[in-house]
Amino acid sequence: MKILINIGHPAHVHLFKNMIKNLEEKGNIIKIVTRDKDVTLELLNAYGLEYEVISGYYNTIHGKIYDFIKTDLKLLKIAIESKPDMLIGVGDPYVAHVGKLVGKPSIVFTDTEDAKLANVLTFPFASVICTPSCFKEDLGRKHVRYNGYHELAYLHPNYFKPDENVLDFLKSENDRIIIVRFISWSASHDIGLRGIKSRTDFIRTLENYGRVFITSEGKLDKNLEKYRITIPPEKIHSLLYYADLYIGEGGTMAAEAAILGTPSIHIESTSKGIATGELSGNFIELRDKYGLLYFYPDQNKALEKAIEILENGNSKKEWQRKRERLLSEKIDVTAWMTDFIERYPDSFYEYMKRRRVSGKNVF
């Protein structure tokens, strides 16, 4: 089977990398196209994945519209030439549109309820929409739920083994590690949202409790540049695993830290001052069911919780126990994706039949 996969974000590289390996080992031919965003190309190179760049990244509305049309047309041309049997993406209008135009199924994964524009442009055209079981919305007859999270496709112990060498830069084994994430706020789903207002004061407060390392999508002020993480991007999950706290604006990294058993705090709000975590099924489940993640609309409340966690010497051990419970209750998402895609459409029909007979709507 020929499969065309579109990767639009660094997190998508992680999501699909193990599935791609599994599918190729089973004799399938994978064509990867990608957007040049953040460290996406670095990650693809690090994992030895061949790809073709079909779009860049634009910060302005006009630039995004131009890129949207250009990418749709370029992906259509590639699909006509390569003749894939299936197209796959994450919250991806391009694979949904092109799949419809060339008459091939498109399987779209998403875990982001509040990506309103992308969802409106994608869902009506996709053949199947796969989400975590905790996804808050019912997307109808095309909706397939699985008992896991995107992040478990690459952070499950079957695939992820932390590398202790990432700690070689620490001055002593007693150094506490605090990772902070700043985002650019230029993505379509970030329009109207807010995060950390006073970055310098924020970092100075955290610095009283450990060594602060910043990962940022964009430029940093000169006084913050010294905190920037300099390790290769494919090593960031190992550092997250050993960290004592993650706090920041990046939703994906917040979920990653939580699933790795690291205390995690997400800071983001709507224009009305509502924490965006309240809009996300996976964030709510990670907080309410597993106690692994907190989210707040402003940095003051988030810092209060951060200090409480850092002053508790047992926090890391507590989070590791919570992680073990989560892993015991969730599936190997990569194994599930591999099976679902390779056996499609039979896998989809089985899911629909099971849902009709048992009333259960989760794989």
Side-chain angles (χ1 to χ4, degrees), residues 59 104 162 192 207 228 304 329 333 338 362:
N59 292 324
K104 296 298 180 180
E207 208 172 15
R228 188 188 288 273
E304 288 179 14
E329 295 178 359
V333 173
T338 303
V362 179

Side-chain angles (χ1 to χ4, degrees), residues 31 58 82 90 101 107 164-165 280 283:
K31 166 76 174 179
Y58 296 82
S82 62
V90 179
L101 288 171
I107 297 180
E164 288 186 348
N165 292 328
S280 173
F283 271 41

Side-chain angles (χ1 to χ4, degrees), residues 78-94:
I78 290 171
I80 291 172
E81 292 174 350
S82 62
K83 296 180 174 60
D85 298 296
M86 177 189 298
L87 296 89
I88 297 173
V90 179
D92 196 321
Y94 310 110

Side-chain angles (χ1 to χ4, degrees), residues 15-285:
L15 173 64
F16 291 135
K17 63 183 180 182
N18 297 310
M19 179 197 76
I20 289 170
K21 179 182 177 182
N22 290 349
L23 289 170
E24 287 182 332
E25 288 177 349
K26 293 173 179 289
N28 298 286
I29 299 172
I30 309 296
K31 166 76 174 179
I32 299 173
V33 295
T34 187
R35 166 181 289 176
D36 186 0
K37 181 185 187 302
D38 200 9
V39 296
T40 302
L41 303 190
E42 290 180 58
L43 288 171
L44 287 166
N45 291 331
Y47 296 126
L49 297 172
E50 295 185 7
Y51 58 87
E52 178 179 349
V53 177
I54 63 170
S55 65
Y57 192 70
Y58 296 82
N59 292 324
T60 66
I61 295 296
H62 289 98
K64 290 179 183 297
I65 293 172
Y66 166 76
D67 187 58
F68 183 88
I69 296 170
K70 184 185 75 171
T71 303
D72 244 0
L73 292 174
K74 194 159 187 178
L75 189 63
L76 176 61
K77 181 175 181 292
I78 290 171
I80 291 172
E81 292 174 350
S82 62
K83 296 180 174 60
D85 298 296
M86 177 189 298
L87 296 89
I88 297 173
V90 179
D92 196 321
Y94 310 110
V95 301
H97 297 170
V98 171
K100 205 77 169 175
L101 288 171
V102 299
K104 296 298 180 180
S106 59
I107 297 180
V108 172
F109 295 84
T110 187
D111 62 356
T112 311
E113 293 91 337
D114 61 337
K116 299 299 183 184
L117 180 59
N119 293 347
V120 167
L121 293 172
T122 303
F123 293 166
F125 306 96
S127 303
V128 180
I129 307 160
C130 300
T131 76
S133 55
C134 55
F135 197 80
K136 293 180 67 175
E137 299 177 15
D138 183 348
L139 303 178
R141 60 183 179 82
K142 298 189 288 187
H143 189 180
V144 172
R145 297 176 183 267
Y146 60 89
N147 185 28
Y149 310 107
H150 280 194
E151 294 77 16
L152 276 177
Y154 51 97
L155 298 180
H156 192 283
N158 288 348
Y159 309 95
F160 174 73
K161 299 292 185 293
D163 180 3
E164 288 186 348
N165 292 328
V166 299
L167 302 177
D168 289 346
F169 60 85
L170 294 178
K171 294 178 181 178
S172 74
E173 294 181 359
N174 296 323
D175 285 341
R176 306 191 80 189
I177 301 171
I178 302 170
I179 298 179
V180 176
R181 172 72 168 170
F182 295 132
I183 64 172
S184 63
W185 301 103
S186 59
S188 61
H189 57 263
D190 291 327
I191 295 173
L193 302 182
R194 303 168 183 170
I196 298 167
K197 294 180 181 178
S198 179
R199 291 183 172 184
T200 300
D201 292 342
F202 187 76
I203 296 301
R204 285 176 178 166
T205 300
L206 290 171
E207 208 172 15
N208 293 321
Y209 299 90
R211 291 195 64 185
V212 176
F213 298 92
I214 296 176
T215 168
S216 176
E217 285 184 330
K219 293 182 179 179
L220 293 170
D221 292 341
K222 289 183 179 180
N223 61 320
L224 296 180
E225 191 62 43
K226 64 181 180 180
Y227 299 97
R228 188 188 288 273
I229 294 172
T230 57
I231 62 174
E234 69 272 16
K235 300 293 185 181
I236 187 62
H237 297 128
S238 291
L239 188 59
L240 269 179
Y241 177 85
Y242 290 112
D244 296 279
L245 176 73
Y246 163 82
I247 184 169
E249 301 165 337
T252 297
M253 192 165 284
E256 289 172 340
I259 289 168
L260 286 170
T262 294
S264 180
I265 301 174
H266 182 58
I267 306 169
E268 187 179 57
S269 71
T270 67
S271 58
K272 296 180 180 179
I274 301 170
T276 55
E278 299 290 356
L279 309 175
S280 173
N282 60 337
F283 271 41
I284 291 171
E285 184 171 272

